[in-house]
Amino acid sequence: MKSYLYVFAVIFSLVVSAQEKQPVESFTKNVDGRAKVFGKNNTSIVYSAIFKISGTGCKPSKKLPVTVVLPPNSEIELYDMIPLKNKKWNCGTNYTYVTGNVKAKPNRSFVYDLPYDIGSAFKITQGYFGKFSHQKKYSLDFIMPEGTPIHAIRAGTVIKIKKDSNTGCPTKKCVNEANYIWITHKDGTIAEYAHLQFNGTHLKVGDTVKKGEKVGLSGNTGFSENPHLHLEVFVIKISGEKITIQTKFRVANNKSLILKKGDNYTKL
C-alpha cells in the first residue's frame, strides 16, 4: 500500500517527478475548462483506491475522500478540482491503494473444495479462532509434508504472490517470511494459501485458475511451527486489513461442513 502526491504548479497542469509506472495512478485532464481527476489501474488485476485533494487553492466537486474499485486496465473519472477565487493554485491528489475489491459482497453459501489431491486426507491442526495464531480469524491449518501439491478451492485470478523466502520459525519474527498466493474469486473474496515452500508456485500475477487446479507446493516458511498449509478466505479493506470469512467445504459423501480442529478430511 503506497501513497503518491502530485502537485499542480499551474492550473490544469500536472507536474510529476520521473518515476516507474505504478499499479495505480491519478491524473488530470482539462475538459471544457474544468480540471477533471481520474484514477487509473495500469495492471491486469483489480485494485481499490481512496482519493482526496491535497494542497490549497481549490475545492472538489463532490465530498471527499472517495473510494473506488478499479477494474483491470481501467480509468475512472473521480471528481473536478474547482479553483478558489483570489487563491494561488497549489492543488494535487493524494491516494492510497490495495490489491483487491474493497466493495466485495461475499457469497456466504458457496461451498469450497478441499485444497489438495483427490483421494488425499489431511488433519486440521488449528481451526477457526485458534489459540496459537488464529485469534479472531476464520483460518485453517492443514498439517502436511513439505512439497504436498496444493489445489485451488475455487476458480479465480491470481492477484498477489510471494515465493522468494526460504525462512521459517515458530515466532512472530518470521511472520513476513511466509510464501503465499492470493487468488480472488467471482464475488471479490480472496483465498490465501500460505507457508508455501521456496519457489513453491508456477503461477504469476494475472493468471486465471480453475477449481481443483494445482497452484503450488506446501512448505514451512514464515511464522510456522511445522510444515503445513494455512488457508483462509477474506475480503480486503482499504486499510489493508483482512476480514476473514467462515467457509464450508465439500467432503466425503458430498456433504458440506465447517472444518474443525483435530478432524481428518478426505477429498473425493
mmCIF file with all atom_site columns, all heavy atoms in Angstrom, residues 27 31 35 58 70 73 76 91 105 145 149 179 194 210 218 241 254-255:
data_model
loop_
_atom_site.group_PDB
_atom_site.id
_atom_site.type_symbol
_atom_site.label_atom_id
_atom_site.label_alt_id
_atom_site.label_comp_id
_atom_site.label_asym_id
_atom_site.label_entity_id
_atom_site.label_seq_id
_atom_site.pdbx_PDB_ins_code
_atom_site.Cartn_x
_atom_site.Cartn_y
_atom_site.Cartn_z
_atom_site.occupancy
_atom_site.B_iso_or_equiv
_atom_site.pdbx_formal_charge
_atom_site.auth_seq_id
_atom_site.auth_comp_id
_atom_site.auth_asym_id
_atom_site.auth_atom_id
_atom_site.pdbx_PDB_model_num
ATOM 1   N N   . PHE A 1 27  ? -4.420  11.145  -12.477 1.00 0.00 ? 27  PHE A N   1
ATOM 2   C CA  . PHE A 1 27  ? -4.017  12.152  -13.454 1.00 0.00 ? 27  PHE A CA  1
ATOM 3   C C   . PHE A 1 27  ? -5.181  13.096  -13.683 1.00 0.00 ? 27  PHE A C   1
ATOM 4   O O   . PHE A 1 27  ? -6.331  12.812  -13.315 1.00 0.00 ? 27  PHE A O   1
ATOM 5   C CB  . PHE A 1 27  ? -3.554  11.505  -14.758 1.00 0.00 ? 27  PHE A CB  1
ATOM 6   C CG  . PHE A 1 27  ? -4.635  10.792  -15.523 1.00 0.00 ? 27  PHE A CG  1
ATOM 7   C CD1 . PHE A 1 27  ? -5.364  11.425  -16.515 1.00 0.00 ? 27  PHE A CD1 1
ATOM 8   C CD2 . PHE A 1 27  ? -4.914  9.461   -15.243 1.00 0.00 ? 27  PHE A CD2 1
ATOM 9   C CE1 . PHE A 1 27  ? -6.361  10.766  -17.213 1.00 0.00 ? 27  PHE A CE1 1
ATOM 10  C CE2 . PHE A 1 27  ? -5.915  8.788   -15.941 1.00 0.00 ? 27  PHE A CE2 1
ATOM 11  C CZ  . PHE A 1 27  ? -6.636  9.442   -16.922 1.00 0.00 ? 27  PHE A CZ  1
ATOM 12  N N   . VAL A 1 31  ? -10.971 19.327  -19.306 1.00 0.00 ? 31  VAL A N   1
ATOM 13  C CA  . VAL A 1 31  ? -12.148 19.014  -20.124 1.00 0.00 ? 31  VAL A CA  1
ATOM 14  C C   . VAL A 1 31  ? -13.132 20.170  -20.013 1.00 0.00 ? 31  VAL A C   1
ATOM 15  O O   . VAL A 1 31  ? -13.667 20.447  -18.939 1.00 0.00 ? 31  VAL A O   1
ATOM 16  C CB  . VAL A 1 31  ? -12.819 17.708  -19.660 1.00 0.00 ? 31  VAL A CB  1
ATOM 17  C CG1 . VAL A 1 31  ? -14.038 17.409  -20.521 1.00 0.00 ? 31  VAL A CG1 1
ATOM 18  C CG2 . VAL A 1 31  ? -11.826 16.546  -19.705 1.00 0.00 ? 31  VAL A CG2 1
ATOM 19  N N   . ALA A 1 35  ? -10.792 21.010  -14.491 1.00 0.00 ? 35  ALA A N   1
ATOM 20  C CA  . ALA A 1 35  ? -9.744  20.045  -14.160 1.00 0.00 ? 35  ALA A CA  1
ATOM 21  C C   . ALA A 1 35  ? -10.399 18.791  -13.601 1.00 0.00 ? 35  ALA A C   1
ATOM 22  O O   . ALA A 1 35  ? -10.854 18.778  -12.455 1.00 0.00 ? 35  ALA A O   1
ATOM 23  C CB  . ALA A 1 35  ? -8.785  20.642  -13.142 1.00 0.00 ? 35  ALA A CB  1
ATOM 24  N N   . CYS A 1 58  ? -8.047  25.159  -4.161  1.00 0.00 ? 58  CYS A N   1
ATOM 25  C CA  . CYS A 1 58  ? -9.127  24.545  -4.925  1.00 0.00 ? 58  CYS A CA  1
ATOM 26  C C   . CYS A 1 58  ? -10.065 23.806  -3.982  1.00 0.00 ? 58  CYS A C   1
ATOM 27  O O   . CYS A 1 58  ? -9.768  23.617  -2.796  1.00 0.00 ? 58  CYS A O   1
ATOM 28  C CB  . CYS A 1 58  ? -8.580  23.580  -5.977  1.00 0.00 ? 58  CYS A CB  1
ATOM 29  S SG  . CYS A 1 58  ? -7.795  22.119  -5.251  1.00 0.00 ? 58  CYS A SG  1
ATOM 30  N N   . LEU A 1 70  ? -11.062 -0.211  -8.990  1.00 0.00 ? 70  LEU A N   1
ATOM 31  C CA  . LEU A 1 70  ? -10.546 -0.005  -10.333 1.00 0.00 ? 70  LEU A CA  1
ATOM 32  C C   . LEU A 1 70  ? -10.380 -1.350  -11.028 1.00 0.00 ? 70  LEU A C   1
ATOM 33  O O   . LEU A 1 70  ? -9.486  -2.125  -10.680 1.00 0.00 ? 70  LEU A O   1
ATOM 34  C CB  . LEU A 1 70  ? -9.202  0.719   -10.270 1.00 0.00 ? 70  LEU A CB  1
ATOM 35  C CG  . LEU A 1 70  ? -9.229  2.143   -9.712  1.00 0.00 ? 70  LEU A CG  1
ATOM 36  C CD1 . LEU A 1 70  ? -7.824  2.588   -9.322  1.00 0.00 ? 70  LEU A CD1 1
ATOM 37  C CD2 . LEU A 1 70  ? -9.832  3.101   -10.730 1.00 0.00 ? 70  LEU A CD2 1
ATOM 38  N N   . ASN A 1 73  ? -6.803  -2.565  -16.012 1.00 0.00 ? 73  ASN A N   1
ATOM 39  C CA  . ASN A 1 73  ? -6.524  -1.694  -17.163 1.00 0.00 ? 73  ASN A CA  1
ATOM 40  C C   . ASN A 1 73  ? -7.646  -0.688  -17.412 1.00 0.00 ? 73  ASN A C   1
ATOM 41  O O   . ASN A 1 73  ? -8.142  -0.540  -18.533 1.00 0.00 ? 73  ASN A O   1
ATOM 42  C CB  . ASN A 1 73  ? -6.285  -2.538  -18.418 1.00 0.00 ? 73  ASN A CB  1
ATOM 43  C CG  . ASN A 1 73  ? -5.141  -3.510  -18.252 1.00 0.00 ? 73  ASN A CG  1
ATOM 44  O OD1 . ASN A 1 73  ? -4.013  -3.106  -17.968 1.00 0.00 ? 73  ASN A OD1 1
ATOM 45  N ND2 . ASN A 1 73  ? -5.411  -4.802  -18.387 1.00 0.00 ? 73  ASN A ND2 1
ATOM 46  N N   . ILE A 1 76  ? -11.105 5.700   -14.348 1.00 0.00 ? 76  ILE A N   1
ATOM 47  C CA  . ILE A 1 76  ? -12.395 6.111   -13.800 1.00 0.00 ? 76  ILE A CA  1
ATOM 48  C C   . ILE A 1 76  ? -12.332 7.592   -13.439 1.00 0.00 ? 76  ILE A C   1
ATOM 49  O O   . ILE A 1 76  ? -11.410 8.037   -12.756 1.00 0.00 ? 76  ILE A O   1
ATOM 50  C CB  . ILE A 1 76  ? -12.758 5.289   -12.547 1.00 0.00 ? 76  ILE A CB  1
ATOM 51  C CG1 . ILE A 1 76  ? -12.997 3.824   -12.926 1.00 0.00 ? 76  ILE A CG1 1
ATOM 52  C CG2 . ILE A 1 76  ? -13.995 5.863   -11.862 1.00 0.00 ? 76  ILE A CG2 1
ATOM 53  C CD1 . ILE A 1 76  ? -13.368 2.941   -11.758 1.00 0.00 ? 76  ILE A CD1 1
ATOM 54  N N   . CYS A 1 91  ? -2.767  22.679  -5.903  1.00 0.00 ? 91  CYS A N   1
ATOM 55  C CA  . CYS A 1 91  ? -3.601  21.512  -5.591  1.00 0.00 ? 91  CYS A CA  1
ATOM 56  C C   . CYS A 1 91  ? -3.038  20.246  -6.209  1.00 0.00 ? 91  CYS A C   1
ATOM 57  O O   . CYS A 1 91  ? -2.400  20.279  -7.264  1.00 0.00 ? 91  CYS A O   1
ATOM 58  C CB  . CYS A 1 91  ? -5.022  21.722  -6.117  1.00 0.00 ? 91  CYS A CB  1
ATOM 59  S SG  . CYS A 1 91  ? -5.917  22.997  -5.232  1.00 0.00 ? 91  CYS A SG  1
ATOM 60  N N   . LYS A 1 105 ? -18.888 -8.376  -2.058  1.00 0.00 ? 105 LYS A N   1
ATOM 61  C CA  . LYS A 1 105 ? -20.042 -8.896  -1.319  1.00 0.00 ? 105 LYS A CA  1
ATOM 62  C C   . LYS A 1 105 ? -19.967 -10.422 -1.357  1.00 0.00 ? 105 LYS A C   1
ATOM 63  O O   . LYS A 1 105 ? -20.369 -11.059 -2.337  1.00 0.00 ? 105 LYS A O   1
ATOM 64  C CB  . LYS A 1 105 ? -21.347 -8.392  -1.936  1.00 0.00 ? 105 LYS A CB  1
ATOM 65  C CG  . LYS A 1 105 ? -21.508 -6.878  -1.827  1.00 0.00 ? 105 LYS A CG  1
ATOM 66  C CD  . LYS A 1 105 ? -22.821 -6.411  -2.433  1.00 0.00 ? 105 LYS A CD  1
ATOM 67  C CE  . LYS A 1 105 ? -22.969 -4.897  -2.285  1.00 0.00 ? 105 LYS A CE  1
ATOM 68  N NZ  . LYS A 1 105 ? -24.242 -4.397  -2.881  1.00 0.00 ? 105 LYS A NZ  1
ATOM 69  N N   . PRO A 1 145 ? 3.202   -32.758 4.783   1.00 0.00 ? 145 PRO A N   1
ATOM 70  C CA  . PRO A 1 145 ? 4.637   -32.690 4.492   1.00 0.00 ? 145 PRO A CA  1
ATOM 71  C C   . PRO A 1 145 ? 4.957   -31.577 3.492   1.00 0.00 ? 145 PRO A C   1
ATOM 72  O O   . PRO A 1 145 ? 4.126   -31.225 2.652   1.00 0.00 ? 145 PRO A O   1
ATOM 73  C CB  . PRO A 1 145 ? 4.938   -34.061 3.886   1.00 0.00 ? 145 PRO A CB  1
ATOM 74  C CG  . PRO A 1 145 ? 3.810   -34.938 4.281   1.00 0.00 ? 145 PRO A CG  1
ATOM 75  C CD  . PRO A 1 145 ? 2.613   -34.048 4.385   1.00 0.00 ? 145 PRO A CD  1
ATOM 76  N N   . PRO A 1 149 ? 1.277   -31.175 -3.068  1.00 0.00 ? 149 PRO A N   1
ATOM 77  C CA  . PRO A 1 149 ? 0.586   -30.325 -4.050  1.00 0.00 ? 149 PRO A CA  1
ATOM 78  C C   . PRO A 1 149 ? -0.655  -29.666 -3.445  1.00 0.00 ? 149 PRO A C   1
ATOM 79  O O   . PRO A 1 149 ? -1.456  -30.315 -2.774  1.00 0.00 ? 149 PRO A O   1
ATOM 80  C CB  . PRO A 1 149 ? 0.200   -31.315 -5.151  1.00 0.00 ? 149 PRO A CB  1
ATOM 81  C CG  . PRO A 1 149 ? 1.153   -32.451 -5.013  1.00 0.00 ? 149 PRO A CG  1
ATOM 82  C CD  . PRO A 1 149 ? 1.403   -32.578 -3.535  1.00 0.00 ? 149 PRO A CD  1
ATOM 83  N N   . ASN A 1 179 ? 5.796   -17.556 2.315   1.00 0.00 ? 179 ASN A N   1
ATOM 84  C CA  . ASN A 1 179 ? 5.426   -17.525 0.899   1.00 0.00 ? 179 ASN A CA  1
ATOM 85  C C   . ASN A 1 179 ? 3.921   -17.778 0.784   1.00 0.00 ? 179 ASN A C   1
ATOM 86  O O   . ASN A 1 179 ? 3.352   -18.554 1.558   1.00 0.00 ? 179 ASN A O   1
ATOM 87  C CB  . ASN A 1 179 ? 6.183   -18.600 0.119   1.00 0.00 ? 179 ASN A CB  1
ATOM 88  C CG  . ASN A 1 179 ? 7.677   -18.340 0.088   1.00 0.00 ? 179 ASN A CG  1
ATOM 89  O OD1 . ASN A 1 179 ? 8.113   -17.199 -0.023  1.00 0.00 ? 179 ASN A OD1 1
ATOM 90  N ND2 . ASN A 1 179 ? 8.469   -19.398 0.200   1.00 0.00 ? 179 ASN A ND2 1
ATOM 91  N N   . ALA A 1 194 ? -0.912  -20.148 2.288   1.00 0.00 ? 194 ALA A N   1
ATOM 92  C CA  . ALA A 1 194 ? 0.314   -19.599 2.870   1.00 0.00 ? 194 ALA A CA  1
ATOM 93  C C   . ALA A 1 194 ? 1.235   -20.672 3.440   1.00 0.00 ? 194 ALA A C   1
ATOM 94  O O   . ALA A 1 194 ? 0.826   -21.806 3.688   1.00 0.00 ? 194 ALA A O   1
ATOM 95  C CB  . ALA A 1 194 ? -0.029  -18.584 3.949   1.00 0.00 ? 194 ALA A CB  1
ATOM 96  N N   . LYS A 1 210 ? -8.562  -22.690 -12.492 1.00 0.00 ? 210 LYS A N   1
ATOM 97  C CA  . LYS A 1 210 ? -9.825  -23.394 -12.349 1.00 0.00 ? 210 LYS A CA  1
ATOM 98  C C   . LYS A 1 210 ? -9.895  -24.035 -10.968 1.00 0.00 ? 210 LYS A C   1
ATOM 99  O O   . LYS A 1 210 ? -8.868  -24.312 -10.347 1.00 0.00 ? 210 LYS A O   1
ATOM 100 C CB  . LYS A 1 210 ? -9.961  -24.462 -13.423 1.00 0.00 ? 210 LYS A CB  1
ATOM 101 C CG  . LYS A 1 210 ? -9.991  -23.927 -14.841 1.00 0.00 ? 210 LYS A CG  1
ATOM 102 C CD  . LYS A 1 210 ? -10.066 -25.060 -15.851 1.00 0.00 ? 210 LYS A CD  1
ATOM 103 C CE  . LYS A 1 210 ? -10.074 -24.531 -17.277 1.00 0.00 ? 210 LYS A CE  1
ATOM 104 N NZ  . LYS A 1 210 ? -10.125 -25.635 -18.276 1.00 0.00 ? 210 LYS A NZ  1
ATOM 105 N N   . SER A 1 218 ? 3.137   -27.064 -0.699  1.00 0.00 ? 218 SER A N   1
ATOM 106 C CA  . SER A 1 218 ? 3.156   -26.659 0.711   1.00 0.00 ? 218 SER A CA  1
ATOM 107 C C   . SER A 1 218 ? 4.584   -26.568 1.230   1.00 0.00 ? 218 SER A C   1
ATOM 108 O O   . SER A 1 218 ? 5.517   -27.143 0.657   1.00 0.00 ? 218 SER A O   1
ATOM 109 C CB  . SER A 1 218 ? 2.365   -27.661 1.556   1.00 0.00 ? 218 SER A CB  1
ATOM 110 O OG  . SER A 1 218 ? 3.027   -28.922 1.581   1.00 0.00 ? 218 SER A OG  1
ATOM 111 N N   . GLU A 1 241 ? -6.446  -4.199  5.966   1.00 0.00 ? 241 GLU A N   1
ATOM 112 C CA  . GLU A 1 241 ? -6.886  -5.220  6.915   1.00 0.00 ? 241 GLU A CA  1
ATOM 113 C C   . GLU A 1 241 ? -7.686  -6.303  6.194   1.00 0.00 ? 241 GLU A C   1
ATOM 114 O O   . GLU A 1 241 ? -8.478  -6.025  5.300   1.00 0.00 ? 241 GLU A O   1
ATOM 115 C CB  . GLU A 1 241 ? -7.757  -4.579  8.002   1.00 0.00 ? 241 GLU A CB  1
ATOM 116 C CG  . GLU A 1 241 ? -8.268  -5.560  9.043   1.00 0.00 ? 241 GLU A CG  1
ATOM 117 C CD  . GLU A 1 241 ? -9.229  -4.925  10.034  1.00 0.00 ? 241 GLU A CD  1
ATOM 118 O OE1 . GLU A 1 241 ? -9.537  -3.719  9.882   1.00 0.00 ? 241 GLU A OE1 1
ATOM 119 O OE2 . GLU A 1 241 ? -9.681  -5.638  10.950  1.00 0.00 ? 241 GLU A OE2 1
ATOM 120 N N   . ASN A 1 254 ? -20.294 -36.042 -0.415  1.00 0.00 ? 254 ASN A N   1
ATOM 121 C CA  . ASN A 1 254 ? -20.799 -34.773 -0.958  1.00 0.00 ? 254 ASN A CA  1
ATOM 122 C C   . ASN A 1 254 ? -21.431 -33.883 0.109   1.00 0.00 ? 254 ASN A C   1
ATOM 123 O O   . ASN A 1 254 ? -22.276 -33.047 -0.184  1.00 0.00 ? 254 ASN A O   1
ATOM 124 C CB  . ASN A 1 254 ? -21.793 -35.020 -2.088  1.00 0.00 ? 254 ASN A CB  1
ATOM 125 C CG  . ASN A 1 254 ? -21.816 -33.866 -3.078  1.00 0.00 ? 254 ASN A CG  1
ATOM 126 O OD1 . ASN A 1 254 ? -20.807 -33.207 -3.308  1.00 0.00 ? 254 ASN A OD1 1
ATOM 127 N ND2 . ASN A 1 254 ? -22.973 -33.621 -3.670  1.00 0.00 ? 254 ASN A ND2 1
ATOM 128 N N   . LYS A 1 255 ? -21.016 -34.068 1.351   1.00 0.00 ? 255 LYS A N   1
ATOM 129 C CA  . LYS A 1 255 ? -21.502 -33.210 2.427   1.00 0.00 ? 255 LYS A CA  1
ATOM 130 C C   . LYS A 1 255 ? -20.726 -31.901 2.427   1.00 0.00 ? 255 LYS A C   1
ATOM 131 O O   . LYS A 1 255 ? -19.589 -31.826 1.977   1.00 0.00 ? 255 LYS A O   1
ATOM 132 C CB  . LYS A 1 255 ? -21.328 -33.908 3.770   1.00 0.00 ? 255 LYS A CB  1
ATOM 133 C CG  . LYS A 1 255 ? -22.213 -35.117 3.992   1.00 0.00 ? 255 LYS A CG  1
ATOM 134 C CD  . LYS A 1 255 ? -21.965 -35.712 5.374   1.00 0.00 ? 255 LYS A CD  1
ATOM 135 C CE  . LYS A 1 255 ? -22.859 -36.916 5.623   1.00 0.00 ? 255 LYS A CE  1
ATOM 136 N NZ  . LYS A 1 255 ? -22.596 -37.508 6.966   1.00 0.00 ? 255 LYS A NZ  1
#
